[in-house]
Amino acid sequence: MTTPTPHIECQPGDIAATVLMPGDPLRAKYIAETFLEDVKQVNGVRGMLAYTGTYEGRLISVMASGMGMPSIGIYSFELFSFYGVERIIRVGSCGAYSGDLNLYDVVIAEDAWSESSFAKTQGVSDVDVLSATPDLVAELEDKAAALNIDYVKTRIHSSDVFYRQNFDEYQTIRDQHGCQVVEMEAFALFANAMATGKQAACVLTVSDSLVTQQATTSAERESAFTSMMKIALQMAE
Ligand code: HPA
């Protein structure tokens, strides 16, 4: 396939080797406008906004993934395969499965468990746990430590269903599979990194708790995740 691809309208040179991926296009815009310098918008297809700029003088891109594994699957595959992207760090929100986690806590995914068929369909693996790239995880941990930002490193659940009929099932998933939080994209991102020989990681901020039923508002979610962003932005090259 040549560039532009069906879902990304720029050329390979327009995107940095490292891409941060929030789910929400407006959060991508907010990150670009708040943290980056010399910013250029490089994608607008389907409103899936992408920007390239510099952070502390180092090049980085930020592109929205949309919600769910099929969506991040499309964008991450095109970035890895056709745009020369070497590492994608998902920066997202998650729901807490554990009473030990509070709203706004930062989570670094060690690996992701999922009931999704994404990895099997992609042809990379038929296991239900996929690791983030260990070197990237170690680098993120170093950055967090240097910034004095606390985080929890754990297994996460990548779910296809936000509104489960059986709400209490999260306790079984937590107890049987060791997942402390839930989100909806990382497993597919990790599968695509395996498929393309590239690197992927995932940093999350707790936006709600299934245990206490507390939640943040969507406006808070758009802007209040500064700790997570500071860690991820340090990955600029
Ligand atoms: N479920 C799935 N994904 C999420 C949640 C949740 O409760 N919170 C943030 N992302």
Side-chain angles (χ1 to χ4, degrees):
M1 201 189 302
T2 55
T3 51
T5 53
H7 307 96
I8 304 176
E9 64 192 337
C10 61
Q11 291 298 336
D14 296 324
I15 299 197
T18 300
V19 178
L20 307 186
M21 287 203 110
D24 178 358
L26 293 181
R27 200 177 310 155
K29 183 168 191 269
Y30 177 88
I31 291 165
E33 288 173 352
T34 309
F35 299 105
L36 302 190
E37 282 168 25
D38 303 319
V39 188
K40 185 173 126 192
Q41 184 185 320
V42 293
N43 193 54
V45 178
R46 290 178 180 247
M48 210 56 78
L49 298 171
Y51 302 85
T52 296
T54 60
Y55 182 72
E56 297 178 347
R58 291 169 286 148
L59 208 58
I60 193 156
S61 293
V62 51
M63 177 172 188
S65 69
M67 288 186 285
M69 291 188 249
S71 187
I72 198 168
I74 289 169
Y75 296 108
S76 61
F77 191 84
E78 290 185 13
L79 289 172
F80 280 145
S81 301
F82 309 113
Y83 286 90
V85 170
E86 294 299 327
R87 36 196 214 169
I88 296 179
I89 299 143
R90 163 163 156 71
V91 285
S93 60
C94 61
Y97 279 177
S98 158
D100 295 340
L101 288 168
N102 297 309
L103 295 187
Y104 301 117
D105 280 357
V106 175
V107 172
I108 297 177
E110 181 163 27
D111 49 24
W113 175 84
S114 186
E115 58 277 82
S116 156
S117 60
F118 189 98
K120 192 173 178 196
T121 306
Q122 177 58 291
V124 292
S125 168
D126 62 3
V127 300
D128 55 11
V129 174
L130 293 180
S131 291
T133 307
D135 287 352
L136 261 191
V137 174
E139 235 182 290
L140 286 164
E141 291 191 272
D142 287 347
K143 308 289 188 199
L147 291 164
N148 243 324
I149 295 172
D150 289 335
Y151 63 90
V152 173
K153 183 169 76 166
T154 183
R155 175 168 296 170
I156 67 173
H157 176 203
S158 296
S159 177
D160 278 331
V161 179
F162 188 92
Y163 296 107
R164 270 176 194 268
Q165 294 290 3
N166 182 359
F167 180 83
D168 289 338
E169 216 166 27
Y170 82 85
Q171 296 165 354
T172 313
I173 294 169
R174 176 193 63 203
D175 297 343
Q176 288 190 351
H177 302 288
C179 308
Q180 291 200 61
V181 299
V182 57
E183 54 84 69
M184 308 188 78
E185 291 84 16
F187 185 80
L189 174 62
F190 297 169
N192 275 349
M194 282 177 72
T196 56
K198 302 289 177 108
Q199 303 197 322
C202 173
V203 191
L204 302 166
T205 305
V206 175
S207 64
D208 53 84
S209 170
L210 283 83
V211 183
T212 64
Q213 315 248 358
Q214 290 173 290
T216 56
T217 66
S218 61
E220 284 172 321
R221 275 202 286 281
E222 190 177 314
S223 59
F225 294 167
T226 326
S227 296
M228 167 180 74
M229 288 316 309
K230 279 187 183 160
I231 300 170
L233 283 161
Q234 285 298 329
M235 306 297 275
E237 292 173 292

